Amino acid sequence: MTFVSPSVLACDFSHLADEVLKMEAAGADYLHLDVMDGHFVPNISFGPGVISSIRKVSRLLFDVHLMISDPGKYLDSFIRAGADIITIHAESNGDIGEMIDYIKEHDVRVGLAISPGTSYDVVMPYLDKLDMVLVMTVEPGFGGQKMIPETLDKCRVLRREITKRGLTTNIEVDGGINADNVWLCSSNGANVIVAGSAIFGSNKPRAVISKMKSECELHPFAG
Ligand code: DX5
Ligand code: ZN
């Protein structure tokens, strides 16, 4: 099953609620919320206040991607803001295992993200506890970049390991994905597709989302 998660980073923030509702109407499964602190990545986006505001207007699954140096300090705020999935980066500060446990104890799904330069090895000790692994397909920090296809090799290794362990963990990919290259993601084992500019930049978001899903169904994991 493929899930599409539009990234609001690419939306028109002067009409935030409308943009979110538009994604709901267009058939989005999740809503990807990129939190950036200007320290972990060289860009600043938004925080829990914005997320709790849009929580009031949307029932989509809130997929919160924390690109912040000290996620442990802010987990409570994002839980309170209404996150359904919280993804922390393996490269961030703090005890990764403790943060994973903390998120799960609060009945929020948990994801672990790896940047392009980080090996899948760092995910392996935590895999059994994770709901999702996020394999970054660009350097985190900005929307509108070009996908780095080599990062998809990691999805293949992770998908094989997930199957081997009998898990149902999702593999999310994020960065530079569009309806023309999404098949590379599904055929390498990813099943949650983040796309910002490809969806918000189109005047037919419903068509883009549905093409992405059908491309993924046409190109399942090739092993
Ligand atoms: C990058 C973010 C992505 C980004 C994706 O750091 O994590 O979610 O918004 O945007 P596109 O699809 O435009 O690459
Ligand atoms: Zn993201």
Side-chain angles (χ1 to χ4, degrees):
M1 178 88 181
T2 303
F3 303 99
V4 174
S5 191
S7 168
V8 303
L9 198 62
C11 86
D12 174 358
F13 280 88
S14 67
H15 300 282
L16 184 52
D18 290 343
E19 293 280 84
V20 171
L21 291 172
K22 195 162 82 184
M23 289 304 123
E24 223 167 294
D29 301 291
Y30 299 0
L31 193 70
H32 190 79
L33 296 153
D34 286 308
V35 177
M36 303 178 180
D37 65 354
H39 188 258
F40 184 78
V41 288
N43 194 8
I44 299 176
S45 59
F46 50 81
V50 168
I51 296 175
S52 74
S53 298
I54 52 172
R55 184 74 283 181
K56 295 184 199 127
V57 301
S58 175
R59 300 178 64 157
L60 280 173
L61 199 138
F62 279 14
D63 167 26
V64 177
H65 176 194
L66 297 183
M67 286 163 276
I68 62 180
S69 293
D70 288 297
K73 286 188 190 164
Y74 302 95
L75 293 177
D76 281 326
S77 320
F78 288 103
I79 292 166
R80 254 186 278 120
D84 296 296
I85 307 175
I86 295 181
T87 297
I88 57 169
H89 263 265
E91 306 84 5
S92 53
N93 300 328
D95 186 315
I96 300 295
E98 271 175 26
M99 291 188 275
I100 289 171
D101 290 341
Y102 191 82
I103 296 167
K104 284 174 79 83
E105 280 159 20
H106 289 78
D107 289 324
V108 173
R109 295 196 221 170
V110 63
L112 186 61
I114 47 173
S115 291
T118 304
S119 162
Y120 56 80
D121 285 334
V122 304
V123 177
M124 295 305 185
Y126 308 108
L127 196 56
D128 297 73
K129 290 182 173 184
L130 299 172
D131 296 287
M132 190 163 84
V133 179
L134 167 48
V135 175
M136 289 303 298
T137 44
V138 297
E139 287 299 338
F142 297 91
Q145 304 181 68
K146 201 171 166 299
M147 180 210 269
I148 305 166
E150 293 75 25
T151 55
L152 297 171
D153 295 343
K154 292 189 269 186
C155 295
R156 230 168 34 240
V157 178
L158 287 161
R159 179 54 71 204
R160 281 195 212 115
E161 186 64 19
I162 287 165
T163 307
K164 192 171 130 202
R165 296 194 198 182
L167 303 171
T168 54
T169 323
N170 287 321
I171 299 181
E172 182 175 58
V173 279
D174 181 8
I177 301 165
N178 55 49
D180 296 324
N181 65 13
V182 71
W183 68 273
L184 283 168
C185 303
S186 57
S187 60
N188 279 290
N191 71 313
V192 181
I193 309 297
V194 177
S197 29
I199 297 177
F200 281 99
S202 163
N203 52 12
K204 291 196 176 93
R206 169 166 275 280
V208 176
I209 291 174
S210 103
K211 180 158 189 233
M212 284 184 157
K213 288 191 187 188
S214 57
E215 284 290 311
C216 289
E217 302 315 319
L218 282 170
H219 301 278
F221 181 45

